[in-house]
Amino acid sequence: MKKYALSLLFLIAAGVAFAQQVRYYNFENTLNEVNGLSPALTILGEQGSFVLDTLNEVNQNTKTVYRFTKNSGLQFNNTAAGNFLGDNYTIEIYFVFDELSSWKRVVDWKNRKTDWGAYVYYGELNFYN
């Protein structure tokens, strides 16, 4: 019985050690991480605004959203977050463009120093490099 309990304890400890960590930003009138585990997002370019919007694409939910101006955005400072992001990570993001007449960058992996990133082009998601 002790061997079984010790094995179970080890499995629980191993699961906790390798559990996926999450950082959550909900844009409810702030760019701070909800749990205070990472730094606030940095504004790139012009400051946007928080507005109440109905998200037709997400069950007509009304949410506070952050609106960008052209060529502006937000940056997650991985160094300040203790190198939270490693080689493998997932980003869950909801976004809407006012118009889709050309390439629109959604995610930039190189701090605006290269064209690497995720783009929307006429309603389709594309990855460059």
Side-chain angles (χ1 to χ4, degrees):
M1 184 65 168
K2 280 186 179 180
K3 198 180 261 190
Y4 174 72
L6 192 56
S7 297
L8 183 60
L9 181 64
F10 175 74
L11 288 174
I12 291 171
V16 170
F18 294 105
Q20 181 179 9
Q21 297 182 35
V22 174
R23 299 299 184 260
Y24 180 63
Y25 296 84
N26 68 2
F27 301 97
E28 291 291 331
N29 298 313
T30 181
L31 299 177
N32 293 325
E33 197 273 332
V34 171
N35 298 309
L37 299 173
S38 285
L41 298 173
T42 304
I43 296 170
L44 300 174
E46 295 180 34
Q47 183 168 342
S49 60
F50 294 98
V51 295
L52 197 60
D53 200 356
T54 300
L55 306 177
N56 296 327
E57 297 80 4
V58 188
N59 299 325
Q60 300 290 323
N61 286 340
T62 301
K63 297 266 187 195
T64 301
V65 298
Y66 188 77
R67 287 197 146 261
F68 299 94
T69 58
K70 188 174 183 176
N71 295 320
S72 296
L74 299 172
Q75 179 183 46
F76 176 79
N77 187 334
N78 194 41
T79 303
N83 292 315
F84 171 74
L85 297 178
D87 291 336
N88 297 306
Y89 56 90
T90 301
I91 299 172
E92 181 177 347
I93 183 172
Y94 298 93
F95 61 92
V96 177
F97 288 108
D98 290 332
E99 53 94 13
L100 289 172
S101 60
S102 64
W103 292 96
K104 305 288 184 190
R105 188 175 354 208
V106 179
V107 179
D108 174 6
W109 282 278
K110 293 293 182 179
N111 297 325
R112 300 191 304 178
K113 294 179 180 154
T114 71
D115 289 334
W116 291 19
Y119 292 81
V120 170
Y121 183 63
Y122 290 101
E124 293 182 3
L125 187 63
N126 295 271
F127 294 90
Y128 179 74
N129 246 6

